[in-house]
Amino acid sequence: METAAEMNKLFSDFSEYIRQEQDLKEKIRDEVKNLEHIAREITMIMQNVHQNPAQDEGEYFCKANTYNIILLSFLICVYISVLKCCNSSRASFATCQTHYAQLAALVPVNQFYHFNDMWRFATQKLAFLVSLTVFLETGKLASFEEVAESLGLKPEREKGFHLDLEDYLTGLLQMASELARFATNSVTSGNYDRPIEISKFVSELNAGFRLLNLKNDSLRKKFDALKYDVKKIEEIVYDVSIRGLRPAVGNADQAGN
Protein backbone atom coordinates (compact mmCIF):
# COMPACT_ATOMS: atom_id res chain seq x y z
CA MET A 1 0.00 0.00 0.00
CA GLU A 2 1.38 3.42 -0.98
CA THR A 3 2.24 5.91 1.74
CA ALA A 4 0.99 9.48 1.77
CA ALA A 5 4.44 10.70 0.71
CA GLU A 6 4.50 8.39 -2.29
CA MET A 7 0.99 9.47 -3.24
CA ASN A 8 1.96 13.14 -3.02
CA LYS A 9 5.05 12.58 -5.16
CA LEU A 10 3.00 10.73 -7.77
CA PHE A 11 0.51 13.54 -8.13
CA SER A 12 3.25 16.16 -7.99
CA ASP A 13 4.77 14.50 -11.02
CA PHE A 14 1.37 14.55 -12.71
CA SER A 15 1.01 18.23 -11.88
CA GLU A 16 4.42 19.03 -13.35
CA TYR A 17 3.63 17.10 -16.53
CA ILE A 18 0.31 18.95 -16.92
CA ARG A 19 2.00 22.30 -16.31
CA GLN A 20 4.67 21.62 -18.93
CA GLU A 21 2.09 20.52 -21.48
CA GLN A 22 -0.03 23.60 -20.82
CA ASP A 23 3.02 25.82 -21.31
CA LEU A 24 3.80 24.02 -24.56
CA LYS A 25 0.23 24.37 -25.78
CA GLU A 26 0.35 28.09 -25.05
CA LYS A 27 3.48 28.46 -27.19
CA ILE A 28 1.84 26.43 -29.96
CA ARG A 29 -1.28 28.63 -29.78
CA ASP A 30 0.86 31.72 -30.30
CA GLU A 31 2.32 30.28 -33.50
CA VAL A 32 -1.09 29.10 -34.67
CA LYS A 33 -2.48 32.60 -34.11
CA ASN A 34 0.24 33.91 -36.42
CA LEU A 35 -0.78 31.38 -39.09
CA GLU A 36 -4.45 32.26 -38.67
CA HIS A 37 -3.60 35.95 -39.01
CA ILE A 38 -1.71 35.32 -42.25
CA ALA A 39 -4.58 33.17 -43.55
CA ARG A 40 -7.00 36.04 -42.91
CA GLU A 41 -4.71 38.48 -44.71
CA ILE A 42 -4.41 36.20 -47.75
CA THR A 43 -8.18 35.66 -47.75
CA MET A 44 -8.68 39.43 -47.92
CA ILE A 45 -6.21 39.66 -50.79
CA MET A 46 -7.90 36.87 -52.73
CA GLN A 47 -11.30 38.49 -52.33
CA ASN A 48 -10.13 41.03 -54.90
CA VAL A 49 -10.34 38.40 -57.66
CA HIS A 50 -14.12 38.64 -57.32
CA GLN A 51 -14.07 42.35 -58.16
CA ASN A 52 -13.87 44.11 -61.51
CA PRO A 53 -10.36 45.00 -62.72
CA ALA A 54 -8.72 47.80 -60.78
CA GLN A 55 -9.44 51.28 -62.02
CA ASP A 56 -5.77 52.06 -62.64
CA GLU A 57 -5.80 49.34 -65.28
CA GLY A 58 -8.72 50.96 -67.11
CA GLU A 59 -6.41 52.63 -69.63
CA TYR A 60 -6.81 49.54 -71.81
CA PHE A 61 -10.52 50.27 -72.20
CA CYS A 62 -9.95 53.88 -73.13
CA LYS A 63 -7.91 52.85 -76.15
CA ALA A 64 -10.37 50.18 -77.31
CA ASN A 65 -12.76 51.13 -80.11
CA THR A 66 -13.80 47.78 -81.58
CA TYR A 67 -15.51 44.76 -80.08
CA ASN A 68 -12.48 42.49 -80.32
CA ILE A 69 -10.14 45.03 -78.79
CA ILE A 70 -12.58 45.81 -75.98
CA LEU A 71 -12.92 42.11 -75.16
CA LEU A 72 -9.17 41.55 -75.28
CA SER A 73 -8.52 44.66 -73.19
CA PHE A 74 -10.97 43.46 -70.56
CA LEU A 75 -9.36 40.03 -70.36
CA ILE A 76 -5.94 41.62 -70.00
CA CYS A 77 -7.20 43.74 -67.11
CA VAL A 78 -8.71 40.69 -65.42
CA TYR A 79 -5.49 38.73 -65.86
CA ILE A 80 -3.37 41.55 -64.41
CA SER A 81 -5.70 41.96 -61.43
CA VAL A 82 -5.73 38.24 -60.64
CA LEU A 83 -1.97 37.96 -61.10
CA LYS A 84 -1.39 40.76 -58.61
CA CYS A 85 -3.50 38.91 -56.03
CA CYS A 86 -1.58 35.68 -56.63
CA ASN A 87 1.81 37.39 -56.31
CA SER A 88 0.77 38.98 -53.02
CA SER A 89 -0.43 35.63 -51.73
CA ARG A 90 2.84 33.96 -52.69
CA ALA A 91 4.76 36.44 -50.55
CA SER A 92 2.54 35.62 -47.56
CA PHE A 93 2.98 31.87 -48.05
CA ALA A 94 6.73 32.41 -47.62
CA THR A 95 5.99 33.94 -44.20
CA CYS A 96 3.93 30.87 -43.30
CA GLN A 97 6.99 28.70 -43.82
CA THR A 98 8.79 30.53 -41.02
CA HIS A 99 5.94 30.02 -38.57
CA TYR A 100 5.54 26.34 -39.49
CA ALA A 101 9.28 25.88 -38.88
CA GLN A 102 8.89 27.43 -35.44
CA LEU A 103 5.85 25.27 -34.80
CA ALA A 104 7.78 22.15 -35.81
CA ALA A 105 10.53 23.06 -33.35
CA LEU A 106 7.99 23.21 -30.52
CA VAL A 107 6.24 19.89 -31.13
CA PRO A 108 8.08 16.92 -29.56
CA VAL A 109 9.16 14.09 -31.84
CA ASN A 110 6.41 11.54 -32.55
CA GLN A 111 3.73 13.77 -30.97
CA PHE A 112 2.47 15.41 -34.18
CA TYR A 113 -1.03 13.97 -33.91
CA HIS A 114 -1.22 14.67 -30.18
CA PHE A 115 -1.28 18.41 -30.96
CA ASN A 116 -2.43 18.38 -34.59
CA ASP A 117 -5.95 19.60 -33.83
CA MET A 118 -4.50 22.90 -32.65
CA TRP A 119 -3.33 23.93 -36.14
CA ARG A 120 -5.59 21.73 -38.28
CA PHE A 121 -8.09 24.42 -39.26
CA ALA A 122 -5.38 26.97 -40.02
CA THR A 123 -3.59 24.45 -42.22
CA GLN A 124 -6.80 23.54 -44.06
CA LYS A 125 -7.46 27.22 -44.73
CA LEU A 126 -3.93 27.76 -46.01
CA ALA A 127 -4.09 24.61 -48.15
CA PHE A 128 -7.26 26.02 -49.70
CA LEU A 129 -5.59 29.36 -50.39
CA VAL A 130 -2.53 27.73 -51.98
CA SER A 131 -4.79 25.55 -54.15
CA LEU A 132 -6.84 28.56 -55.22
CA THR A 133 -3.70 30.53 -56.05
CA VAL A 134 -2.31 27.70 -58.17
CA PHE A 135 -5.60 27.34 -60.05
CA LEU A 136 -5.79 31.06 -60.80
CA GLU A 137 -2.17 31.04 -61.99
CA THR A 138 -2.24 27.87 -64.09
CA GLY A 139 -5.82 26.58 -64.31
CA LYS A 140 -4.57 23.29 -62.83
CA LEU A 141 -4.96 21.35 -59.60
CA ALA A 142 -2.28 22.00 -56.98
CA SER A 143 -0.61 18.71 -56.11
CA PHE A 144 -0.21 17.51 -52.54
CA GLU A 145 3.56 18.05 -52.79
CA GLU A 146 3.12 21.54 -54.22
CA VAL A 147 0.86 22.65 -51.37
CA ALA A 148 3.21 21.15 -48.78
CA GLU A 149 6.22 22.89 -50.34
CA SER A 150 4.42 26.25 -50.49
CA LEU A 151 3.74 26.07 -46.75
CA GLY A 152 7.16 24.70 -45.81
CA LEU A 153 5.76 21.33 -44.71
CA LYS A 154 7.03 17.84 -45.45
CA PRO A 155 4.99 15.76 -47.92
CA GLU A 156 5.60 12.52 -46.00
CA ARG A 157 4.90 11.67 -42.38
CA GLU A 158 8.22 9.88 -41.99
CA LYS A 159 10.15 13.05 -42.83
CA GLY A 160 8.84 15.04 -39.88
CA PHE A 161 6.39 17.91 -39.53
CA HIS A 162 4.16 17.26 -42.50
CA LEU A 163 0.98 18.19 -44.34
CA ASP A 164 -1.80 15.80 -43.35
CA LEU A 165 -3.64 14.34 -46.36
CA GLU A 166 -7.05 15.11 -44.87
CA ASP A 167 -6.09 18.78 -44.47
CA TYR A 168 -5.05 18.92 -48.13
CA LEU A 169 -8.29 17.31 -49.31
CA THR A 170 -10.37 19.61 -47.13
CA GLY A 171 -8.56 22.57 -48.67
CA LEU A 172 -9.50 21.34 -52.15
CA LEU A 173 -13.16 21.10 -51.17
CA GLN A 174 -13.08 24.63 -49.79
CA MET A 175 -11.55 25.76 -53.08
CA ALA A 176 -14.46 24.23 -55.02
CA SER A 177 -16.93 26.31 -53.01
CA GLU A 178 -14.89 29.45 -53.64
CA LEU A 179 -14.73 28.70 -57.37
CA ALA A 180 -18.52 28.38 -57.47
CA ARG A 181 -18.69 31.93 -56.14
CA PHE A 182 -15.95 33.03 -58.55
CA ALA A 183 -17.93 31.64 -61.48
CA THR A 184 -20.96 33.71 -60.48
CA ASN A 185 -18.97 36.91 -60.06
CA SER A 186 -17.12 36.31 -63.34
CA VAL A 187 -20.44 36.41 -65.19
CA THR A 188 -21.44 39.54 -63.31
CA SER A 189 -18.24 41.26 -64.40
CA GLY A 190 -18.67 40.11 -68.01
CA ASN A 191 -16.12 37.27 -68.19
CA TYR A 192 -18.29 34.54 -69.72
CA ASP A 193 -15.49 32.09 -70.51
CA ARG A 194 -14.30 31.70 -66.92
CA PRO A 195 -17.37 29.74 -65.65
CA ILE A 196 -16.87 27.16 -68.41
CA GLU A 197 -13.25 26.69 -67.41
CA ILE A 198 -14.25 26.41 -63.74
CA SER A 199 -17.05 23.95 -64.54
CA LYS A 200 -14.67 21.58 -66.32
CA PHE A 201 -12.13 21.78 -63.49
CA VAL A 202 -14.62 21.25 -60.64
CA SER A 203 -16.32 18.37 -62.48
CA GLU A 204 -12.95 16.65 -62.81
CA LEU A 205 -12.24 17.34 -59.13
CA ASN A 206 -15.60 15.80 -58.22
CA ALA A 207 -14.80 12.71 -60.29
CA GLY A 208 -11.48 12.38 -58.47
CA PHE A 209 -13.09 12.55 -55.02
CA ARG A 210 -15.57 9.87 -56.03
CA LEU A 211 -12.65 7.46 -56.35
CA LEU A 212 -11.96 7.84 -52.62
CA ASN A 213 -13.62 5.50 -50.17
CA LEU A 214 -14.66 8.18 -47.68
CA LYS A 215 -16.37 7.08 -44.49
CA ASN A 216 -18.97 8.99 -42.51
CA ASP A 217 -16.62 11.60 -41.07
CA SER A 218 -16.12 15.35 -41.43
CA LEU A 219 -14.36 14.97 -44.78
CA ARG A 220 -17.27 12.94 -46.14
CA LYS A 221 -19.71 15.65 -45.10
CA LYS A 222 -17.61 18.29 -46.83
CA PHE A 223 -17.46 16.10 -49.93
CA ASP A 224 -21.26 15.84 -49.97
CA ALA A 225 -21.34 19.64 -50.39
CA LEU A 226 -19.19 19.36 -53.53
CA LYS A 227 -22.10 18.07 -55.63
CA TYR A 228 -24.02 21.27 -54.85
CA ASP A 229 -21.05 23.34 -56.00
CA VAL A 230 -20.92 21.31 -59.24
CA LYS A 231 -24.64 21.83 -59.78
CA LYS A 232 -24.43 25.55 -59.09
CA ILE A 233 -21.60 26.01 -61.59
CA GLU A 234 -23.37 23.91 -64.21
CA GLU A 235 -26.45 26.11 -63.86
CA ILE A 236 -24.30 29.20 -64.40
CA VAL A 237 -22.76 27.68 -67.55
CA TYR A 238 -26.23 26.74 -68.78
CA ASP A 239 -27.52 30.29 -68.30
CA VAL A 240 -24.49 31.74 -70.07
CA SER A 241 -24.92 29.34 -73.00
CA ILE A 242 -28.70 29.59 -73.34
CA ARG A 243 -28.62 33.38 -73.29
CA GLY A 244 -25.87 33.50 -75.90
CA LEU A 245 -23.62 35.50 -73.59
CA ARG A 246 -20.52 33.57 -74.48
CA PRO A 247 -19.33 35.20 -77.73
CA ALA A 248 -18.48 32.90 -80.60
CA VAL A 249 -15.32 33.62 -82.57
CA GLY A 250 -17.26 34.30 -85.75
CA ASN A 251 -19.64 36.69 -84.06
CA ALA A 252 -16.79 38.49 -82.35
CA ASP A 253 -15.02 39.02 -85.66
CA GLN A 254 -18.19 40.30 -87.28
CA ALA A 255 -18.81 42.70 -84.42
CA GLY A 256 -15.26 43.94 -84.66
CA ASN A 257 -15.67 44.75 -88.34
Side-chain angles (χ1 to χ4, degrees), residues 201-219:
F201 176 80
V202 175
S203 295
E204 292 173 352
L205 183 66
N206 181 51
F209 266 94
R210 289 186 179 279
L211 297 176
L212 303 178
N213 184 24
L214 299 176
K215 304 299 182 181
N216 292 325
D217 55 11
S218 60
L219 186 59

PDB file of all heavy atoms in Angstrom, residues 201-219:
ATOM      1  N   PHE A 201     -13.086  22.091 -64.556  1.00  0.00           N
ATOM      2  CA  PHE A 201     -12.132  21.781 -63.485  1.00  0.00           C
ATOM      3  C   PHE A 201     -12.824  21.150 -62.284  1.00  0.00           C
ATOM      4  O   PHE A 201     -12.374  20.121 -61.749  1.00  0.00           O
ATOM      5  CB  PHE A 201     -11.402  23.061 -63.071  1.00  0.00           C
ATOM      6  CG  PHE A 201     -10.469  22.884 -61.908  1.00  0.00           C
ATOM      7  CD1 PHE A 201      -9.203  22.345 -62.087  1.00  0.00           C
ATOM      8  CD2 PHE A 201     -10.857  23.255 -60.627  1.00  0.00           C
ATOM      9  CE1 PHE A 201      -8.335  22.181 -61.014  1.00  0.00           C
ATOM     10  CE2 PHE A 201     -10.010  23.094 -59.552  1.00  0.00           C
ATOM     11  CZ  PHE A 201      -8.739  22.562 -59.742  1.00  0.00           C
ATOM     12  N   VAL A 202     -13.921  21.751 -61.830  1.00  0.00           N
ATOM     13  CA  VAL A 202     -14.618  21.254 -60.635  1.00  0.00           C
ATOM     14  C   VAL A 202     -15.268  19.899 -60.916  1.00  0.00           C
ATOM     15  O   VAL A 202     -15.322  19.038 -60.032  1.00  0.00           O
ATOM     16  CB  VAL A 202     -15.656  22.286 -60.143  1.00  0.00           C
ATOM     17  CG1 VAL A 202     -16.469  21.726 -58.984  1.00  0.00           C
ATOM     18  CG2 VAL A 202     -14.958  23.574 -59.713  1.00  0.00           C
ATOM     19  N   SER A 203     -15.748  19.676 -62.119  1.00  0.00           N
ATOM     20  CA  SER A 203     -16.317  18.374 -62.477  1.00  0.00           C
ATOM     21  C   SER A 203     -15.249  17.283 -62.405  1.00  0.00           C
ATOM     22  O   SER A 203     -15.502  16.178 -61.911  1.00  0.00           O
ATOM     23  CB  SER A 203     -16.924  18.427 -63.881  1.00  0.00           C
ATOM     24  OG  SER A 203     -18.030  19.308 -63.918  1.00  0.00           O
ATOM     25  N   GLU A 204     -14.052  17.605 -62.887  1.00  0.00           N
ATOM     26  CA  GLU A 204     -12.951  16.646 -62.810  1.00  0.00           C
ATOM     27  C   GLU A 204     -12.530  16.408 -61.362  1.00  0.00           C
ATOM     28  O   GLU A 204     -12.187  15.289 -60.973  1.00  0.00           O
ATOM     29  CB  GLU A 204     -11.767  17.150 -63.632  1.00  0.00           C
ATOM     30  CG  GLU A 204     -12.040  17.158 -65.138  1.00  0.00           C
ATOM     31  CD  GLU A 204     -10.920  17.816 -65.928  1.00  0.00           C
ATOM     32  OE1 GLU A 204     -10.011  18.394 -65.293  1.00  0.00           O
ATOM     33  OE2 GLU A 204     -10.957  17.744 -67.177  1.00  0.00           O
ATOM     34  N   LEU A 205     -12.562  17.472 -60.550  1.00  0.00           N
ATOM     35  CA  LEU A 205     -12.244  17.339 -59.130  1.00  0.00           C
ATOM     36  C   LEU A 205     -13.266  16.444 -58.433  1.00  0.00           C
ATOM     37  O   LEU A 205     -12.912  15.572 -57.626  1.00  0.00           O
ATOM     38  CB  LEU A 205     -12.230  18.721 -58.477  1.00  0.00           C
ATOM     39  CG  LEU A 205     -11.847  18.776 -56.990  1.00  0.00           C
ATOM     40  CD1 LEU A 205     -10.392  18.352 -56.793  1.00  0.00           C
ATOM     41  CD2 LEU A 205     -12.056  20.198 -56.443  1.00  0.00           C
ATOM     42  N   ASN A 206     -14.525  16.628 -58.778  1.00  0.00           N
ATOM     43  CA  ASN A 206     -15.596  15.804 -58.217  1.00  0.00           C
ATOM     44  C   ASN A 206     -15.410  14.334 -58.586  1.00  0.00           C
ATOM     45  O   ASN A 206     -15.580  13.439 -57.751  1.00  0.00           O
ATOM     46  CB  ASN A 206     -16.949  16.314 -58.711  1.00  0.00           C
ATOM     47  CG  ASN A 206     -18.110  15.514 -58.151  1.00  0.00           C
ATOM     48  OD1 ASN A 206     -18.216  15.305 -56.956  1.00  0.00           O
ATOM     49  ND2 ASN A 206     -18.989  15.065 -59.037  1.00  0.00           N
ATOM     50  N   ALA A 207     -15.042  14.085 -59.841  1.00  0.00           N
ATOM     51  CA  ALA A 207     -14.796  12.712 -60.285  1.00  0.00           C
ATOM     52  C   ALA A 207     -13.641  12.087 -59.517  1.00  0.00           C
ATOM     53  O   ALA A 207     -13.674  10.898 -59.167  1.00  0.00           O
ATOM     54  CB  ALA A 207     -14.509  12.698 -61.783  1.00  0.00           C
ATOM     55  N   GLY A 208     -12.614  12.884 -59.237  1.00  0.00           N
ATOM     56  CA  GLY A 208     -11.482  12.378 -58.471  1.00  0.00           C
ATOM     57  C   GLY A 208     -11.879  12.009 -57.056  1.00  0.00           C
ATOM     58  O   GLY A 208     -11.474  10.948 -56.536  1.00  0.00           O
ATOM     59  N   PHE A 209     -12.670  12.840 -56.401  1.00  0.00           N
ATOM     60  CA  PHE A 209     -13.089  12.552 -55.021  1.00  0.00           C
ATOM     61  C   PHE A 209     -13.975  11.313 -54.959  1.00  0.00           C
ATOM     62  O   PHE A 209     -13.982  10.609 -53.947  1.00  0.00           O
ATOM     63  CB  PHE A 209     -13.828  13.760 -54.440  1.00  0.00           C
ATOM     64  CG  PHE A 209     -12.937  14.693 -53.662  1.00  0.00           C
ATOM     65  CD1 PHE A 209     -12.371  15.794 -54.284  1.00  0.00           C
ATOM     66  CD2 PHE A 209     -12.661  14.470 -52.330  1.00  0.00           C
ATOM     67  CE1 PHE A 209     -11.548  16.659 -53.597  1.00  0.00           C
ATOM     68  CE2 PHE A 209     -11.839  15.328 -51.615  1.00  0.00           C
ATOM     69  CZ  PHE A 209     -11.275  16.427 -52.248  1.00  0.00           C
ATOM     70  N   ARG A 210     -14.700  11.038 -56.024  1.00  0.00           N
ATOM     71  CA  ARG A 210     -15.570   9.868 -56.030  1.00  0.00           C
ATOM     72  C   ARG A 210     -14.769   8.561 -56.038  1.00  0.00           C
ATOM     73  O   ARG A 210     -15.310   7.500 -55.719  1.00  0.00           O
ATOM     74  CB  ARG A 210     -16.515   9.922 -57.229  1.00  0.00           C
ATOM     75  CG  ARG A 210     -17.589  10.985 -57.105  1.00  0.00           C
ATOM     76  CD  ARG A 210     -18.593  10.938 -58.227  1.00  0.00           C
ATOM     77  NE  ARG A 210     -19.618  11.942 -58.071  1.00  0.00           N
ATOM     78  CZ  ARG A 210     -20.689  11.822 -57.273  1.00  0.00           C
ATOM     79  NH1 ARG A 210     -20.853  10.707 -56.575  1.00  0.00           N
ATOM     80  NH2 ARG A 210     -21.572  12.794 -57.187  1.00  0.00           N
ATOM     81  N   LEU A 211     -13.498   8.650 -56.380  1.00  0.00           N
ATOM     82  CA  LEU A 211     -12.649   7.463 -56.348  1.00  0.00           C
ATOM     83  C   LEU A 211     -12.209   7.111 -54.924  1.00  0.00           C
ATOM     84  O   LEU A 211     -11.730   5.998 -54.683  1.00  0.00           O
ATOM     85  CB  LEU A 211     -11.407   7.683 -57.217  1.00  0.00           C
ATOM     86  CG  LEU A 211     -11.653   7.906 -58.714  1.00  0.00           C
ATOM     87  CD1 LEU A 211     -10.337   8.219 -59.420  1.00  0.00           C
ATOM     88  CD2 LEU A 211     -12.319   6.687 -59.340  1.00  0.00           C
ATOM     89  N   LEU A 212     -12.373   8.062 -54.004  1.00  0.00           N
ATOM     90  CA  LEU A 212     -11.956   7.840 -52.622  1.00  0.00           C
ATOM     91  C   LEU A 212     -13.060   7.127 -51.853  1.00  0.00           C
ATOM     92  O   LEU A 212     -14.249   7.423 -52.012  1.00  0.00           O
ATOM     93  CB  LEU A 212     -11.634   9.176 -51.939  1.00  0.00           C
ATOM     94  CG  LEU A 212     -10.571  10.043 -52.617  1.00  0.00           C
ATOM     95  CD1 LEU A 212     -10.400  11.349 -51.851  1.00  0.00           C
ATOM     96  CD2 LEU A 212      -9.248   9.299 -52.707  1.00  0.00           C
ATOM     97  N   ASN A 213     -12.666   6.232 -51.011  1.00  0.00           N
ATOM     98  CA  ASN A 213     -13.617   5.504 -50.171  1.00  0.00           C
ATOM     99  C   ASN A 213     -13.763   6.242 -48.842  1.00  0.00           C
ATOM    100  O   ASN A 213     -13.210   5.837 -47.817  1.00  0.00           O
ATOM    101  CB  ASN A 213     -13.124   4.073 -49.942  1.00  0.00           C
ATOM    102  CG  ASN A 213     -14.127   3.249 -49.156  1.00  0.00           C
ATOM    103  OD1 ASN A 213     -15.321   3.542 -49.140  1.00  0.00           O
ATOM    104  ND2 ASN A 213     -13.647   2.222 -48.474  1.00  0.00           N
ATOM    105  N   LEU A 214     -14.513   7.344 -48.872  1.00  0.00           N
ATOM    106  CA  LEU A 214     -14.663   8.176 -47.685  1.00  0.00           C
ATOM    107  C   LEU A 214     -15.729   7.617 -46.759  1.00  0.00           C
ATOM    108  O   LEU A 214     -16.816   7.255 -47.195  1.00  0.00           O
ATOM    109  CB  LEU A 214     -15.021   9.609 -48.092  1.00  0.00           C
ATOM    110  CG  LEU A 214     -13.986  10.332 -48.967  1.00  0.00           C
ATOM    111  CD1 LEU A 214     -14.509  11.700 -49.366  1.00  0.00           C
ATOM    112  CD2 LEU A 214     -12.661  10.463 -48.245  1.00  0.00           C
ATOM    113  N   LYS A 215     -15.423   7.562 -45.489  1.00  0.00           N
ATOM    114  CA  LYS A 215     -16.367   7.084 -44.494  1.00  0.00           C
ATOM    115  C   LYS A 215     -17.223   8.244 -43.998  1.00  0.00           C
ATOM    116  O   LYS A 215     -17.110   9.376 -44.467  1.00  0.00           O
ATOM    117  CB  LYS A 215     -15.612   6.443 -43.327  1.00  0.00           C
ATOM    118  CG  LYS A 215     -14.673   5.314 -43.754  1.00  0.00           C
ATOM    119  CD  LYS A 215     -15.418   4.171 -44.424  1.00  0.00           C
ATOM    120  CE  LYS A 215     -14.463   3.044 -44.805  1.00  0.00           C
ATOM    121  NZ  LYS A 215     -15.156   1.915 -45.487  1.00  0.00           N
ATOM    122  N   ASN A 216     -18.075   7.954 -43.044  1.00  0.00           N
ATOM    123  CA  ASN A 216     -18.966   8.986 -42.509  1.00  0.00           C
ATOM    124  C   ASN A 216     -18.230   9.841 -41.483  1.00  0.00           C
ATOM    125  O   ASN A 216     -18.433   9.735 -40.280  1.00  0.00           O
ATOM    126  CB  ASN A 216     -20.211   8.352 -41.875  1.00  0.00           C
ATOM    127  CG  ASN A 216     -21.108   7.707 -42.908  1.00  0.00           C
ATOM    128  OD1 ASN A 216     -21.218   8.208 -44.012  1.00  0.00           O
ATOM    129  ND2 ASN A 216     -21.736   6.604 -42.546  1.00  0.00           N
ATOM    130  N   ASP A 217     -17.339  10.695 -41.949  1.00  0.00           N
ATOM    131  CA  ASP A 217     -16.623  11.600 -41.069  1.00  0.00           C
ATOM    132  C   ASP A 217     -16.766  13.019 -41.591  1.00  0.00           C
ATOM    133  O   ASP A 217     -17.567  13.290 -42.486  1.00  0.00           O
ATOM    134  CB  ASP A 217     -15.144  11.196 -40.947  1.00  0.00           C
ATOM    135  CG  ASP A 217     -14.469  11.095 -42.315  1.00  0.00           C
ATOM    136  OD1 ASP A 217     -15.081  11.546 -43.311  1.00  0.00           O
ATOM    137  OD2 ASP A 217     -13.343  10.583 -42.384  1.00  0.00           O
ATOM    138  N   SER A 218     -15.989  13.942 -41.027  1.00  0.00           N
ATOM    139  CA  SER A 218     -16.121  15.346 -41.428  1.00  0.00           C
ATOM    140  C   SER A 218     -15.759  15.557 -42.891  1.00  0.00           C
ATOM    141  O   SER A 218     -16.377  16.369 -43.579  1.00  0.00           O
ATOM    142  CB  SER A 218     -15.228  16.216 -40.537  1.00  0.00           C
ATOM    143  OG  SER A 218     -13.869  15.820 -40.652  1.00  0.00           O
ATOM    144  N   LEU A 219     -14.758  14.820 -43.377  1.00  0.00           N
ATOM    145  CA  LEU A 219     -14.362  14.965 -44.775  1.00  0.00           C
ATOM    146  C   LEU A 219     -15.470  14.497 -45.704  1.00  0.00           C
ATOM    147  O   LEU A 219     -15.713  15.103 -46.753  1.00  0.00           O
ATOM    148  CB  LEU A 219     -13.077  14.178 -45.039  1.00  0.00           C
ATOM    149  CG  LEU A 219     -12.456  14.340 -46.434  1.00  0.00           C
ATOM    150  CD1 LEU A 219     -12.118  15.801 -46.703  1.00  0.00           C
ATOM    151  CD2 LEU A 219     -11.207  13.475 -46.562  1.00  0.00           C
TER     152      LEU A 219
END
